[in-house]
Amino acid sequence: MKRLDKLIALNCNVSRRDARQLIKDGEVTVNGAPALRAEELVNEESDVISVKGKTFTSKDHIYLMMNKPEGVVSATDDKTHKTAVDLIPDELSRKSLFLCGRLDKDTTGLLIITDDGAFCHEIMSPNHKVYKTYIATLAYPLDNEAISALESGVELSDGTKCLPAKVKYFTDNGEYKCELKIREGKYHQVKRMLYAVGNRVDALERVAIGGLELDRALPAGSCRELTEDEKAAIFAENEG
Ligand code: URA
C-alpha cells in the first residue's frame, strides 16, 4: 500500500505538492469515487486511480539521468558521505535503485540511476559494448606514443590489461584535455590508464554513455527522468 499523493507523484511525474493540489482540486478518483485525502493508502496493483480523467497504470521502472557534482559518492547508502541517491527528490525515488556505473567522489557528470537491474547490466557489461565517454583534464600533453598505447589496450601498473580505448587529444584554453571512450568500468580506470602512459588526471567528467549525452541544462546535483528516445540512444551506438 502507498500514500495516494506519493503514488500520483511517482506515476504522473509531478511533485508531491502538485499531487496534493490535484487531489484538492477534485481531479483524482480512486475506484470511481473522488479522492478526498492525500494520505489515503491505496493499492497500486488493485485500485483504479484516475487523474484528470485518465487512468494510470503503475510504471514498472524508473530511469534517471543525474549530473553528479563533485564531493558525493556513487553509492546508494553510505554512513559518512552524501551519496548520489541522497540527491534524488522524493517524487523520483524508488526503493531499490542501481547506479549504472560508479564515478569517483571527485568525478562529475553523467550518472544513470534506475530500479531496472537488467537495463543496468546491459549498460555495464563490457560484452554489450556501450562506450562511456570521459573528458579528462591532464597534467601534461599527451603524445602519439601514449595515444597509441591507450588505443591498443594499455596495461595498468598492477598488470591488468585494458580493452582498446578511443582517444582524442586536444587543448582548451591552454589546458591539456583528452576525450576517452571506454567500455569497461574498472576501479579508477581512466585515471589509472592515463597514469600508465606517464600522465595524471587533474579533473574528470563523464559526458556520455553510449549515444546518450549529459544534458548540459541539468544543474550539477540535479536529476530528471530519461525520455524513451534517450533510453534508446544509450544502445544505439553499440558496435558489433
Ligand atoms: N575512471 C576513473 O578513473 N574515475 C571515474 O570516476 C570513472 C572512470
Side-chain angles (χ1 to χ4, degrees), residues 102-104 107 134 188-192 204:
R102 289 168 183 256
L103 295 176
D104 297 336
T107 301
Y134 295 87
H188 292 331
Q189 184 163 349
V190 172
K191 291 172 185 165
R192 288 159 76 210
L204 189 61

Side-chain angles (χ1 to χ4, degrees), residues 49-66:
I49 298 153
S50 298
V51 177
K52 293 191 172 176
K54 262 197 205 149
T55 301
F56 69 70
T57 48
S58 183
K59 278 188 199 167
D60 287 329
H61 290 297
I62 195 155
Y63 304 87
L64 303 175
M65 167 193 291
M66 176 177 283

Side-chain angles (χ1 to χ4, degrees), residues 72 140 181 183 215 236:
V72 303
Y140 316 108
K181 287 179 185 263
R183 59 182 162 98
D215 178 353

